[in-house]
Amino acid sequence: MKKLLLGTLFAGVIAVGAACSNNNVSHNSMQGHDMSNINMKEKNTTKNSSQQLPLATNTEVLTGKEINLTAKEALLKINDQVKLPVYTYNGSVPGPQIRVKQGDHVIIHFKNELPEPTSIHWHGYPVPNSQDGVPGVTMDAVKPGETYTYEFTATIPGTYWYHSHQESAKQVDKGLYGTLIVEPKNEEKVDRDYTLVLDEWMSKPNAESNMNMSGMDHSNMGHGQMDMSNMGHDMSMYDIFTINGKSGSAVKPLKVKKGEKVRLRLVNAGYMSHKLHLHGHKFKIVAADGQPLKDPQPIKDELLNIAPGERYDIEFTANHPGEWLLECHGDMKGTDGMKVKIQYEGATNNTDKSNAKEDLPTVDMTNYGKHELGSFTLDQKYDVEYTMNLETSMGKDGMVYTINGKTYPKTAPIKVKKGDLVKVKLVNNSPTDLHPMHLHGHFFQVLSKNGKPITGFPLIKDTLNLKPGEEYVVAFKADNPGNWMFHCHDLHHASAGMVTEVKYTDYKSDYKPKPNDTTNKGE
Ligand code: C2O
Ligand code: CU
């Protein structure tokens, strides 16, 4: 039983962490235009006979057309009390920020130094299907010690991210993610460009295994045969929330100067939605899932909800000197840790206070920005129409998350041909679960919510969050041939069934999984 083994491993390593708590880890920093303090690698290594994990380093920014990424283990110091064994790209969590220019042909040399197979998926990026990184669907998982080279042309600017797609519920949870920023050719310059990656962690991962496993016979479960997600996942076990791999006062403040234009790229790499509140400033949402919004109106003291897999870029002018918070609202145990200071140069007053429990209005993206017609309308003709009923039910090994009553790979694919116009209605029938649904390789336009047409700027997304009872209609053009996953980005739900595929019937893949290969676990 994989989770139980992991639990045991965690326990061992936390002990090691405590033994070297005087190691000084400097804070993670991702400042696109200020890289001075990003590239200092620290080579602190824990000394122990059974486990030798190096401390996670700072997140680097990698530019250029050839990028090297190595997946490897490390020990992440999340705050002063907690160190967790993690999986990293290049030794950091988040992994390096890959920053390229629109039009660049990017080559990524990937090496797997983890003890298990893995892969990289480019979330939100319309790469050729062969580069999509889904083991068993577009490639074989990269085995320990092996290498793989990804290549694609960065055609569309914006904020994206990358992560493992092999046993992703577990591997992304352990830290295998980083950001991909494609700078537009004619970039409007901002003075500060910060990327903030949100995530949740379990300070006691083994407690969860024990709880879920109580009363079960573990002896005959092979690796991967059952996942704890199949037994229902208790989100309250995620008791530490992080920004860029750090929690609470360990999160490095964002420096600004009066008058500067500041862009924050918010990326949710976790499995929970987070509502962020920017204190003291008006801000505009300038992009959703990397796609620019036109004429966004300034808003203040409204919460921006960021669901798993989503990205929002916000901009504000630093016109209110002092020290302010950007913080998560809510009342979960971890909420308090997801906050970062915005520190004006020379600011001495430290009067801003957290109001994380206050219930503020949430920005409604379906009526945000100037209303315009997008490429698609509700009543035009479509070549393919598909309805996705998203449900939660009890399977024989625990909870399952279904699409039209089926779990992957038994779900019916959305069959398309190149050039087809496709309309998908998504309905969340689960009584309490959120389903942030993510389509690979394409962007879709959101046409309606709960039967009402979108009244803001056309919302172009790759990840759409459905709350219980909600219904959305989206449309896209089948313009990127291949076999593409469409799944819930609460990856526990995906691993327990909530996955389907958009399959081009006129696409011939060069990739054929070997029959009976049990290595690939792409969902
Ligand atoms: Cu972010 Cu199928 O992935
Ligand atoms: Cu879900």
Side-chain angles (χ1 to χ4, degrees):
M1 173 56 196
K2 154 177 73 179
K3 285 297 165 187
L4 194 70
L5 290 176
L6 264 177
T8 315
L9 182 68
F10 278 124
V13 178
I14 287 164
V16 176
C20 55
S21 55
N22 55 352
N23 278 337
N24 227 337
V25 185
S26 63
H27 302 153
N28 181 329
S29 154
M30 284 205 283
Q31 309 179 22
H33 300 116
D34 172 11
M35 299 176 201
S36 52
N37 54 354
I38 294 174
N39 295 314
M40 309 151 23
K41 294 214 176 158
E42 293 184 38
K43 290 269 178 295
N44 294 334
T45 306
T46 60
K47 299 266 180 322
N48 185 285
S49 51
S50 61
Q51 282 288 331
Q52 286 210 357
L53 289 181
L55 274 174
T57 54
N58 293 327
T59 298
E60 295 177 283
V61 176
L62 300 178
T63 56
K65 298 177 189 178
E66 294 216 22
I67 304 282
N68 292 303
L69 289 182
T70 302
K72 53 185 172 189
E73 293 178 282
L75 196 59
L76 179 67
K77 189 176 175 191
I78 283 183
N79 59 26
D80 282 344
Q81 288 83 46
V82 181
K83 288 180 184 166
L84 294 174
V86 293
Y87 283 178
T88 73
Y89 293 112
N90 293 10
S92 65
V93 177
Q97 172 161 93
I98 301 177
R99 211 165 170 115
V100 300
K101 293 255 178 322
Q102 185 181 10
D104 282 355
H105 188 75
V106 193
I107 299 176
I108 299 103
H109 303 285
F110 176 51
K111 182 155 197 265
N112 181 10
E113 290 181 0
L114 295 173
E116 58 181 308
T118 189
S119 80
I120 304 178
H121 163 63
W122 311 96
H123 180 118
Y125 220 73
V127 298
N129 192 238
S130 61
Q131 307 303 300
D132 198 42
V134 181
V137 177
T138 67
M139 65 182 287
D140 281 333
V142 183
K143 298 199 177 70
E146 289 184 353
T147 59
Y148 190 85
T149 301
Y150 292 91
E151 271 189 59
F152 57 88
T153 303
T155 47
I156 301 181
T159 304
Y160 304 89
W161 62 300
Y162 60 93
H163 61 78
S164 165
H165 220 290
Q166 165 81 358
E167 289 198 81
S168 51
K170 169 186 145 195
Q171 292 194 359
V172 178
D173 220 22
K174 288 202 79 179
L176 271 185
Y177 55 77
T179 51
L180 166 66
I181 309 296
V182 180
E183 295 176 352
K185 275 211 189 88
N186 309 306
E187 195 183 15
E188 203 205 313
K189 281 276 171 259
V190 293
D191 301 300
R192 305 276 183 166
D193 185 335
Y194 292 107
T195 302
L196 304 173
V197 186
L198 315 179
D199 199 4
E200 314 91 26
W201 302 81
M202 290 180 259
S203 62
K204 295 190 182 60
N206 48 335
E208 177 177 66
S209 308
N210 295 339
M211 182 189 68
N212 275 312
M213 295 312 296
S214 54
M216 296 197 58
D217 172 19
H218 332 144
S219 56
N220 55 3
M221 288 177 205
H223 178 87
Q225 275 177 8
M226 192 190 285
D227 189 277
M228 69 180 165
S229 53
N230 294 336
M231 288 167 258
H233 191 76
D234 180 0
M235 286 298 188
S236 69
M237 295 307 295
Y238 286 110
D239 56 348
I240 308 178
F241 295 177
T242 55
I243 296 178
N244 293 346
K246 302 283 175 194
S247 189
S249 57
V251 183
K252 190 177 175 169
L254 308 177
K255 302 274 184 197
V256 300
K257 277 198 208 117
K258 183 161 191 246
E260 282 182 334
K261 195 169 180 189
V262 184
R263 177 180 277 236
L264 304 181
R265 302 171 189 266
L266 305 165
V267 180
N268 190 344
Y271 305 154
M272 290 166 60
S273 282
H274 297 290
K275 288 180 193 272
L276 293 196
H277 178 208
L278 174 65
H279 288 205
H281 297 79
K282 282 188 189 153
F283 67 99
K284 294 174 180 176
I285 303 164
V286 294
D289 290 356
Q291 310 315 298
L293 297 162
K294 204 164 132 194
D295 292 332
Q297 65 266 25
I299 41 186
K300 190 158 186 271
D301 293 326
E302 285 188 48
L303 305 177
L304 178 57
N305 187 68
I306 309 166
E310 282 190 317
R311 290 90 61 214
Y312 288 98
D313 293 13
I314 66 172
E315 272 180 24
F316 66 93
T317 304
N319 54 8
H320 201 174
E323 195 175 84
W324 302 98
L325 289 173
L326 172 72
E327 66 170 355
C328 181
H329 272 230
D331 50 15
M332 303 226 22
K333 182 135 186 274
T335 307
D336 192 44
M338 191 176 273
K339 59 166 172 265
V340 57
K341 281 182 188 157
I342 296 166
Q343 237 167 29
Y344 280 68
E345 203 170 71
T348 45
N349 54 326
N350 186 1
T351 50
D352 188 22
K353 292 237 162 25
S354 163
N355 62 347
K357 296 217 160 59
E358 204 179 299
D359 198 15
L360 296 171
T362 303
V363 182
D364 177 2
M365 293 306 296
T366 65
N367 73 11
Y368 187 73
K370 184 168 173 237
H371 182 62
E372 252 175 41
L373 284 183
S375 328
F376 300 99
T377 59
L378 276 169
D379 43 22
Q380 77 183 78
K381 203 173 148 8
Y382 288 92
D383 303 292
V384 177
E385 300 194 11
Y386 187 99
T387 298
M388 251 187 219
N389 292 299
L390 308 169
E391 261 140 32
T392 307
S393 60
M394 200 56 176
K396 65 176 190 318
D397 296 322
M399 297 306 265
V400 292
Y401 298 88
T402 59
I403 298 177
N404 299 333
K406 302 247 164 47
T407 57
Y408 188 74
K410 292 195 189 98
T411 45
I414 304 176
K415 288 192 185 154
V416 302
K417 288 196 293 300
K418 184 163 189 226
D420 279 353
L421 304 184
V422 187
K423 184 162 98 171
V424 181
K425 184 202 269 188
L426 303 107
V427 189
N428 183 353
N429 294 322
S430 296
T432 55
D433 296 302
L434 305 176
H435 300 304
M437 297 300 293
H438 169 53
L439 171 61
H440 288 205
H442 304 72
F443 298 101
F444 48 76
Q445 184 186 331
V446 182
L447 299 176
S448 70
K449 177 186 178 182
N450 300 333
K452 291 197 201 71
I454 299 301
T455 52
F457 191 69
L459 202 48
I460 311 295
K461 310 244 333 143
D462 52 67
T463 308
L464 178 67
N465 188 40
L466 286 97
K467 296 196 202 108
E470 283 184 345
E471 175 199 300
Y472 283 87
V473 175
V474 306
F476 65 94
K477 181 169 183 185
D479 58 3
N480 193 4
N483 299 314
W484 301 99
M485 284 203 152
F486 200 157
H487 65 86
C488 183
H489 224 283
D490 177 333
L491 297 173
H492 296 300
H493 295 179
S495 75
M498 193 167 277
V499 179
T500 187
E501 280 178 56
V502 170
K503 266 188 197 280
Y504 285 64
T505 53
D506 50 355
Y507 175 76
K508 271 252 145 320
S509 175
D510 292 334
Y511 169 68
K512 287 270 169 304
K514 286 173 224 78
N516 310 319
D517 187 341
T518 53
T519 317
N520 296 317
K521 299 193 175 75
E523 76 289 350

